[in-house]
Every structure is written in structure tokens, then in C-alpha cells.
Amino acid sequence: MKVILLITIFLSFYSSAETIVVEDTLFYEVAPTSKDDLLETLNSTSPIREDGNVFHGYTKYEINWRFWWKSNNNQCAFTKIETTLKLKYTMPQLKSSKSDVNVVWSNWYPNLEKHEKGHGKLAKDTAFKIEKDLLSIGPKANCNLLEKAGNKLAYKLMATLKKANKQYDIKTNHGETQNAWLYLHL
């Protein structure tokens, strides 16, 4: 038991982790002629549709992980973990010089952005947790077992992220409680 503990301590000094986060925003243009047609224009130009509903913002994430290991004395341990998170936000971009439209937009848009960044934070937290938790897996009898344990843990965290995003949308009613619904500002 002491040998395994010493190996774990020794390898922890030589293991490393790296999380790469790439964020991008895809904008779709919204060009209302007045404050009165802002919501209708936004709904008709939004490319975000799900189950018959139109949304004005969306966050898509992709998390990938890679690991390297070293095998010594019938023990295999991770030496490096690399987690990559790709975040893509889809957001509206206002194309209007109308002052009444700009006032509504400037009051509403930061709330929509905050809601979507909340989804992004959940994904970032999960990417960092995958990395941290993979590094905490102790040595296994062989590298096959280590790889299976690592992937099982990462996929479990991905499933938890999916549930957390659903709960976030239920709790905020897709941002309504965060003032991210445009009708609240009209």
C-alpha cells in the first residue's frame, strides 16, 4: 500500500494538465424598422428553433479530452491531461439606428448575453473538472484499465453537464427570470 502511495505522490509531481478554451460568437442580423416590430423581426430572423419554439440566443459546447500515461512496474498512471472546450454562442446583432430600438436593445441584450454566458460557465467548469478529476485517478494495473476509468469518469461528467444545462434553463425559464426575454423590455 505504501508503494502505491509513493508512486502516486511521485507521479503527481510529473503530471500536468492543460485546458484549452476556444470561444466564438456567430451573429445573425436583426434590422427592425421600429420598437414595435423588434420582437417580430427578432423571432423571424433567429436561426435558433427547438421543438417549435424560437430562441434568441444559444450556446453550443464541445468538450474533448486526451491523456498520456506512463507504465512502470505493472502500474500505469496518467502523466498529462489535455481538455479542449469549444464554445460557440449564437447571438443577435442589431442593425438599426432608431433610438427607441437602441434603448430597448441596450436594456435587454446584456441580460440575454448573461444567460448564454451562464451556459458557457457550466461547460467551462465541467472542462476544468474533467481535467482535475482525470489527474486524480490513481495508477491502475494496466493502461487499458486506466483508459477505461478515465473515459468513464469524463463521460459521466458530460452527462452531468447536460443535466445541469437543462436545470439552468428550467430554473431561469430559458432566461426569463434573468430579464433575458425581450417582451420584458418592450
Side-chain angles (χ1 to χ4, degrees):
M1 187 63 177
K2 286 182 182 180
V3 172
I4 291 174
L5 180 60
L6 288 173
I7 289 171
T8 303
I9 292 170
F10 177 75
L11 287 174
S12 69
F13 288 111
Y14 292 96
S15 60
S16 67
E18 180 180 353
T19 300
I20 300 164
V21 178
V22 179
E23 291 184 75
D24 190 24
T25 304
L26 173 67
F27 291 101
Y28 62 94
E29 290 187 3
V30 180
T33 57
S34 73
K35 175 180 130 179
D36 295 331
D37 75 340
L38 179 55
L39 183 58
E40 183 182 327
T41 303
L42 190 58
N43 285 340
S44 67
T45 58
S46 174
I48 310 158
R49 310 215 183 275
E50 186 178 295
D51 298 326
N53 296 311
V54 176
F55 295 97
H56 301 143
Y58 185 74
T59 304
K60 181 179 179 179
Y61 60 86
E62 179 183 325
I63 301 176
N64 295 296
W65 54 91
R66 294 176 52 190
F67 34 75
W68 291 260
W69 55 67
K70 189 170 187 172
S71 183
N72 285 331
N73 301 327
N74 296 324
Q75 294 285 303
C76 188
F78 289 133
T79 57
K80 181 180 176 184
I81 307 294
E82 181 182 274
T83 307
T84 304
L85 167 61
K86 293 179 185 174
L87 275 173
K88 182 175 262 184
Y89 300 101
T90 301
M91 299 292 286
Q93 185 172 47
L94 183 63
K95 296 291 181 184
S96 175
S97 59
K98 306 285 184 185
S99 62
D100 61 338
V101 172
N102 284 308
V103 167
V104 171
W105 192 272
S106 64
N107 287 324
W108 163 71
Y109 187 84
N111 299 309
L112 176 65
E113 190 173 44
K114 178 182 177 184
H115 176 76
E116 294 308 323
K117 294 290 182 175
H119 284 292
K121 183 177 180 336
L122 291 171
K124 287 177 186 177
D125 290 348
T126 299
F128 290 120
K129 184 161 178 52
I130 287 171
E131 181 178 283
K132 179 181 155 276
D133 288 4
L134 286 176
L135 277 177
S136 73
I137 294 175
K140 301 292 181 195
N142 65 58
C143 295
N144 226 6
L145 290 174
L146 183 66
E147 180 178 11
K148 286 179 182 177
N151 282 324
K152 181 179 179 182
L153 183 140
Y155 283 119
K156 182 178 177 185
L157 290 171
M158 291 297 292
T160 301
L161 172 59
K162 188 175 181 178
K163 289 177 188 173
N165 273 299
K166 285 183 181 181
Q167 283 304 116
Y168 177 64
D169 276 334
I170 289 169
K171 180 181 175 186
T172 66
N173 194 29
H174 293 276
E176 184 180 29
T177 64
Q178 298 166 302
N179 287 324
W181 283 25
L182 182 59
Y183 86 89
L184 296 168
H185 301 272
L186 293 173

